[in-house]
Amino acid sequence: LDTVVQYAHDRFGIQSDLAAVPSIALGPIGVRPIELAEAYSVFALKGDRVRPIGVRRVVGPDGNNVFIGSARRYTRVIEPWVADAMD
């Protein structure tokens, strides 16, 4: 169970405290939605993880972009075939 918790932190980017309990696979512990989005990005990106951001663009009153955000892509955290199998 400790390995599962460590894997969730290291590979999937979960930052919330996770208890090493048998029911962890059922999701008994509260995790922020943005953490789940980061964790599931691993499967959608075939093994790469991306840190999502809540704001993509801010436009000023003059119509010009004040801020353009982009998700930061990480290196591969699991093999693509593993991501395909999980998907």
Side-chain angles (χ1 to χ4, degrees), residues 4-60:
V4 171
V5 170
Q6 194 61 43
Y7 207 82
H9 290 302
D10 295 345
R11 301 296 176 118
F12 294 100
I14 301 295
Q15 297 171 0
S16 296
D17 289 331
L18 301 174
V21 295
S23 61
I24 193 169
L26 302 175
I29 298 133
V31 176
R32 296 177 303 155
I34 199 148
E35 289 179 280
L36 287 178
E38 183 172 348
Y40 281 109
S41 74
V42 173
F43 304 115
L45 296 172
K46 306 295 184 209
D48 290 348
R49 188 177 83 213
V50 66
R51 172 153 297 153
I53 60 171
V55 177
R56 292 186 63 190
R57 180 172 66 156
V58 176
V59 179

Side-chain angles (χ1 to χ4, degrees), residues 55-72:
V55 177
R56 292 186 63 190
R57 180 172 66 156
V58 176
V59 179
D62 57 359
N64 291 324
N65 291 327
V66 177
F67 170 80
I68 298 176
S70 62
R72 196 169 107 197

